[in-house]
Amino acid sequence: MGRSIIVPVVRFFRLEGVETRILSGMLAQLDTTEEQALATLGSAGTAAEIEAWRIDWLGSKGQLKQLMGRMKEVDASERPAFGQRMNAMKKSLEAAFKAKNNAAATPIAGPPMDVTEPGIAAGLGRRHVISHTVAEIIDVFARMGFEPTTGPEVEDEWHNFTALNVPESHPAREAIDNYYLEGGGILRSQTSTVQIRVLEDTPPPVRIVAAGRVYRPDTHDATHYSMFHQVEGLWVDRGVTMVDLKSTLLGFAHAFFGDDAEIRMRPSFFPFTEPSAEIDMKMRIKDEWQWVEVGGCGLVDPNVLEALKIDPNEWSGFAFGLGVERIAMRKHGIADIRWLYDNDARFLRQF
Ligand code: DAH
């Protein structure tokens, strides 16, 4: 790069003399020189090219130095102007070099990074309060000898109604109260379907507990939702009676709500049990004991056993169904069932 950059061009003829003409020409030429220098730097791609440029222009024997050496050719009175221009050019080239060097040394564009700053910890997930409650309930019954099982959510009318002794004309079958599917089938409205599935597959004795979702087309409000969870229990054996049912439910209440918990059974009606009862459990809610209706139960109706070719003279059983949301909501003081399914992490994180 030893080419001569300064080619004095006399642009302004002034009569004062030759020195002045040289200065005018050189000053004008310095602009071009600076532009060329910056352009060369701009096209330098590699670190080696940038360094070669530095030596050529800013080095101790570089072009800037050589230009400075020509100061003596300038008339003494014009030297300050020339000096100022040279200083400005030096600064401009140095700044350009610095910027280029920094850019080349910073391969990743973006804001500066403080590697000492503490990181953002990944949030830990947690089980939904309903999953947690289901697991706890199942665990208690499992310890009492009930085998956990499940059944399908898409069912047929046989398992959801007919085999459960629900007559064709029963209002529980009405279209407005169920999710009937196009082409047949139904989203199960109760986990009692699992009683039928188990008894179809397994000859008694059976003792199972099954949790899962059920579906009913309710309008959503604080206590209704179109999907909720039930836990179903079934024990069929020789000589199972109401005493077994009541002691099982009481054992559950003690394990789940504490030794002071109580249960109460109110006579009721379900097509698949005879006799039938509604179950209340007394639980402590904010230091106050309250009765809460938690589900239904009864002795398996002989019609159900007969439909499954099980002899009701040899076998008897009990069944129960518990509402999981009810239990979880009362236990944790949750006032509105919709909060469980809004998926607002601020709410769900509390449990
Ligand atoms: N399936 C009933 C319901 O959804 C609850 C129920 C009542 C379940 C009595 C049972 C039972 O197993 O014996 O309302």
Side-chain angles (χ1 to χ4, degrees):
M1 293 214 187
R3 63 209 146 91
S4 170
I5 296 301
I6 302 299
V7 182
V9 175
V10 179
R11 285 201 186 154
F12 307 105
F13 278 95
R14 289 163 67 187
L15 299 175
E16 286 86 283
V18 142
E19 306 293 45
T20 309
R21 292 208 304 276
I22 287 173
L23 175 64
S24 303
M26 282 180 77
L27 274 181
Q29 189 61 27
L30 285 181
D31 291 342
T32 317
T33 306
E34 187 179 328
E35 272 167 35
Q36 283 174 352
L38 292 174
T40 315
L41 179 62
S43 57
T46 64
E49 282 170 351
I50 295 170
E51 177 59 7
W53 181 93
R54 186 192 66 79
I55 293 167
D56 185 24
W57 284 95
L58 304 172
S60 55
K61 290 178 188 149
Q63 302 206 41
L64 269 186
K65 270 276 154 54
Q66 292 172 31
L67 281 172
M68 281 294 204
R70 297 190 64 177
M71 182 88 92
K72 54 187 178 300
E73 297 171 26
V74 178
D75 182 77
S77 66
E78 305 283 6
R79 273 182 202 151
F82 182 80
Q84 272 170 22
R85 182 64 188 86
M86 282 305 297
N87 271 337
M89 178 159 158
K90 186 169 179 243
K91 275 197 184 135
S92 146
L93 294 192
E94 278 172 355
F97 169 73
K98 211 171 153 192
K100 179 86 178 184
N101 225 12
N102 282 347
T106 314
I108 299 164
M113 184 170 71
D114 177 359
V115 293
T116 66
E117 196 178 329
I120 300 167
L124 268 189
R126 68 182 64 212
R127 293 177 100 175
H128 191 281
V129 57
I130 291 299
S131 306
H132 191 75
T133 308
V134 163
E136 266 185 88
I137 296 173
I138 293 289
D139 188 52
V140 171
F141 284 113
R143 278 186 273 138
M144 295 168 88
F146 288 77
E147 192 184 326
T149 186
T150 55
E153 289 174 25
V154 175
E155 268 294 3
D156 48 45
E157 290 188 56
W158 165 257
H159 292 91
N160 202 80
F161 296 125
T162 313
L164 285 163
N165 200 33
V166 180
E168 289 294 329
S169 57
H170 197 282
R173 289 188 183 239
E174 273 177 27
I176 199 162
D177 291 326
N178 293 283
Y179 286 112
Y180 286 101
L181 304 175
E182 271 176 31
I186 181 173
L187 292 183
R188 70 178 176 193
S189 63
Q190 49 186 356
T191 47
S192 302
T193 51
V194 185
Q195 295 185 31
I196 306 304
R197 296 226 161 243
V198 167
L199 291 175
E200 276 173 344
D201 288 351
T202 322
V206 297
R207 190 158 29 150
I208 59 96
V209 61
R213 299 188 188 95
V214 299
Y215 302 85
R216 294 178 196 175
D218 273 325
T219 305
H220 293 183
D221 62 23
T223 54
H224 296 87
Y225 210 81
S226 45
M227 180 281 302
F228 53 99
H229 296 72
Q230 290 183 332
V231 171
E232 194 80 14
L234 173 72
W235 186 0
V236 177
D237 205 331
R238 291 187 179 91
V240 173
T241 67
M242 285 297 270
V243 174
D244 301 303
L245 173 58
K246 193 161 185 182
S247 60
T248 298
L249 293 172
L250 184 61
F252 166 78
H254 285 165
F256 197 77
F257 295 111
D259 287 343
D260 296 333
E262 294 175 46
I263 69 163
R264 167 168 95 178
M265 286 157 82
R266 283 178 288 111
S268 185
F269 175 82
F270 298 102
F272 35 90
T273 44
E274 182 57 37
S276 303
E278 253 155 304
I279 318 156
D280 300 337
M281 290 189 183
K282 201 172 194 181
M283 53 181 90
R284 189 166 47 212
I285 298 165
K286 289 187 195 142
D287 288 336
E288 220 185 285
W289 287 91
Q290 288 182 25
W291 285 110
V292 177
E293 187 190 323
V294 294
C297 64
L299 293 186
V300 180
D301 193 299
N303 288 346
V304 174
L305 297 176
E306 265 165 10
L308 297 163
K309 315 248 173 332
I310 296 168
D311 182 359
N313 296 315
E314 187 180 354
W315 303 99
S316 63
F318 71 66
F320 60 84
L322 306 178
V324 178
E325 277 78 359
R326 252 162 189 279
I327 292 173
M329 286 169 70
R330 297 305 290 263
K331 189 174 177 188
H332 297 286
I334 299 167
D336 194 316
I337 191 173
R338 291 169 292 192
W339 298 343
L340 293 172
Y341 300 114
D342 281 347
N343 275 339
D344 184 334
R346 294 167 304 176
F347 170 78
L348 295 175
R349 262 202 294 267
Q350 300 175 78
F351 307 100

